[in-house]
Amino acid sequence: PEDRYDPTHLTRVEASLSDTDWETLTQESRLFFDLVAGPECFEGPVPQIFEWYPGDVVIDGQSLSDVGFRKKGLIGSMSWTRPSLKVDTDRFVDGQEFPDGTEHFTLNNNNQDISRIHTCMAYAVFERAGVAGPRCAFATVAVNGESKGVYSNVQPIKKAFLRESFGSDDGVLYEGTA
């Protein structure tokens, strides 16, 4: 589609990874206690502990090979069966992107929300209030032929978002963790 975040379109995401890589990705985890324990608690960015794994993706019939997948999340979205995911089309192939220029996808499992709609509703409220926030729509996600259900397809907070929201991607972008 012309707009990957069209709220009237249900995006279809089909991911293929080796069974070993998928199993390893799903088992990666972190505990909240590990983040807040010790003298370094909140003294810097939370370390990124999740690894990138190569695979193929088909999104709404458009396919790319050798893209990167990693588990996403802090605490609430941890899942061994239905993890939240980051997809990076140029992680393993420099400059690879979809024809519309999309390089990154954030697929939130919304495990903390049984309705699965609060994330997109909140960002729609931000938009109506004139506050910059990522665009959001829904996607069905399947991995290695197994349906994982409906996820939020949230626009990653990257340079494209900054240019779209603020007219420039200059400066430093910070993400709050806790």
Side-chain angles (χ1 to χ4, degrees):
E2 184 176 307
D3 180 0
R4 293 230 181 254
Y5 305 101
D6 176 354
T8 66
H9 175 73
L10 181 63
T11 298
R12 182 169 173 78
V13 178
E14 301 168 63
S16 300
L17 291 82
S18 78
D19 289 337
T20 302
D21 284 349
W22 178 246
E23 179 71 19
T24 304
L25 179 151
T26 62
Q27 298 303 308
E28 291 177 333
S29 189
R30 72 167 120 215
L31 300 173
F32 186 72
F33 179 78
D34 295 337
L35 299 173
V36 298
E40 295 85 32
C41 171
F42 298 118
E43 285 188 2
V46 173
Q48 184 48 256
I49 63 164
F50 303 124
E51 296 293 325
W52 287 96
Y53 298 93
D56 302 329
V57 69
V58 179
I59 297 181
D60 287 336
Q62 297 179 326
S63 61
L64 288 178
S65 298
D66 299 319
V67 302
F69 295 89
R70 80 164 170 83
K71 198 172 204 179
K72 174 211 167 291
L74 187 58
I75 303 303
S77 57
M78 287 289 119
S79 172
W80 290 352
T81 58
R82 194 175 175 276
S84 291
L85 297 168
K86 291 277 194 178
V87 182
D88 184 348
T89 65
D90 71 345
R91 172 63 47 172
F92 300 111
V93 178
D94 245 5
Q96 178 172 243
E97 60 187 30
F98 280 95
D100 68 355
T102 303
E103 292 179 26
H104 305 96
F105 290 86
T106 300
L107 300 167
N108 288 341
N109 63 13
N110 299 310
N111 279 354
Q112 314 87 302
D113 170 18
I114 79 168
S115 74
R116 309 266 192 248
I117 64 173
H118 291 146
T119 298
C120 287
M121 281 179 40
Y123 290 139
V125 169
F126 286 10
E127 180 182 358
R128 293 256 170 125
V131 176
R135 293 180 296 148
C136 185
F138 297 98
T140 60
V141 176
V143 179
N144 295 339
E146 181 183 341
S147 174
K148 299 298 176 185
V150 176
Y151 281 59
S152 292
N153 175 22
V154 180
Q155 180 182 24
I157 308 299
K158 299 255 184 212
K159 289 184 178 215
F161 166 79
L162 295 175
R163 286 189 300 271
E164 184 179 298
S165 299
F166 303 105
S168 170
D169 60 16
D170 291 340
V172 179
L173 174 66
Y174 295 96
E175 179 181 5
T177 300

